[in-house]
């Protein structure tokens, strides 16, 4: 066994787990490909004492705070295979390295699947955002568009209404809204 625990994903969740394991003196490896979901965003929000800090700077701070915990090791790469064998797991990375571990934490986060709309990717994280709690305040009092339909749009629209009273919902030619939501949007002029 090379490590007691492997953490796949070295962004916020993975580094938080590494901190707990490092403080417990558990031999841990963090394997990360270096592409956190919020990488395109200029600032991260809703993080106590760090509101407005660039996302990659937050990760640098976390890694610096992990340095005293010498049982935590970092490896750049992606795990491409995990094989269980006799209560251990053998991990293989994209650089063909292998590590045998007792436990595995998947902290890979999410990958946003962006629509094939010209310019969308270039604006992702700055002018086009995914979370009203992360970026809504910076867009308050501006006219906004929501590219969603059905239950997702019904969920997000009231969340941003207190920030933006000029909301346009783009449904990609589909209309799958509940009658209650349609009544609410008519009373709010959405």
């Amino acid at each position: 066994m090379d490590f007691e625990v492997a953490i796949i994903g070295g962004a916020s969740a993975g580094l938080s787990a590494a901190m707990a394991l490092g403080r417990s003196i558990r031999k841990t490896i963090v394997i990360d490909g270096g592409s956190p979901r919020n990488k395109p965003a200029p600032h991260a929000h809703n993080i106590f004492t760090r509101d407005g800090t660039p996302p990659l700077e937050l990760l640098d701070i976390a890694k610096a705070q992990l340095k005293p915990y010498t049982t935590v090791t970092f490896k750049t790469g992606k795990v491409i295979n995990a094989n269980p064998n006799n209560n251990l797991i053998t991990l293989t990375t994209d650089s063909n390295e292998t590590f045998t571990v007792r436990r595995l934490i998947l902290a890979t986060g999410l990958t946003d699947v962006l629509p094939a709309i010209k310019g969308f990717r270039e604006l992702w994280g700055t002018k086009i955002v995914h979370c009203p709690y992360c970026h809504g305040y910076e867009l308050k009092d501006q006219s906004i568009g929501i590219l969603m339909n059905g239950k997702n749009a019904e969920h997000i629209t009231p969340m941003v209404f207190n920030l933006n009273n000029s909301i346009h919902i783009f449904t990609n030619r589909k209309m799958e809204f509940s009658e209650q939501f349609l009544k609410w949007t008519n009373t709010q002029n959405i």
Side-chain angles (χ1 to χ4, degrees):
M1 179 181 69
D2 299 308
F3 296 94
E4 292 176 80
V5 181
I7 301 169
I8 300 175
S12 300
L15 296 178
S16 180
M19 176 68 75
L21 291 164
R23 292 183 54 78
S24 298
I25 313 175
R26 298 291 184 184
K27 193 172 180 189
T28 304
I29 185 168
V30 178
I31 305 171
D32 183 60
S35 294
R37 180 184 190 197
N38 62 355
K39 187 176 183 177
H43 304 97
H45 295 283
N46 284 326
I47 302 169
F48 190 65
T49 76
R50 300 287 183 207
D51 189 53
T53 303
L56 297 181
E57 185 179 326
L58 287 172
L59 299 182
D60 289 341
I61 292 167
K63 288 175 185 173
Q65 290 181 351
L66 281 163
K67 283 186 180 179
Y69 306 105
T70 57
T71 59
V72 177
T73 301
F74 291 92
K75 181 70 184 162
T76 300
K78 295 181 180 181
V79 173
I80 59 169
N81 201 4
N83 288 317
N85 187 11
N86 294 330
N87 295 323
L88 296 175
I89 305 165
T90 301
L91 304 174
T92 305
T93 69
D94 56 354
S95 61
N96 210 30
E97 292 180 272
T98 60
F99 304 98
T100 303
V101 301
R102 186 178 303 148
R103 298 284 184 260
L104 184 60
I105 295 175
L106 299 177
T108 56
L110 299 171
T111 300
D112 295 299
V113 179
L114 304 180
I117 297 173
K118 185 178 179 180
F120 200 96
R121 183 170 300 281
E122 293 78 13
L123 295 173
W124 184 245
T126 57
K127 297 289 184 189
I128 300 174
V129 298
H130 72 283
C131 176
Y133 294 109
C134 297
H135 305 288
Y137 186 83
E138 285 68 33
L139 301 175
K140 70 179 175 37
D141 299 327
Q142 298 178 39
S143 181
I144 65 163
I146 297 174
L147 179 61
M148 287 183 182
N149 194 16
K151 291 187 185 292
N152 289 331
E154 290 185 31
H155 175 74
I156 200 97
T157 303
M159 291 170 59
V160 299
F161 187 73
N162 63 317
L163 296 167
N164 314 79
N165 60 12
S166 178
I167 299 173
H168 305 274
I169 300 173
F170 299 95
T171 64
N172 202 17
R173 295 190 183 134
K174 296 179 184 176
M175 289 294 291
E176 299 172 6
F177 297 114
S178 69
E179 192 172 314
Q180 179 182 358
F181 180 74
L182 292 173
K183 286 179 184 175
W184 180 79
T185 57
N186 284 334
T187 63
Q188 305 301 325
N189 295 320
I190 293 175

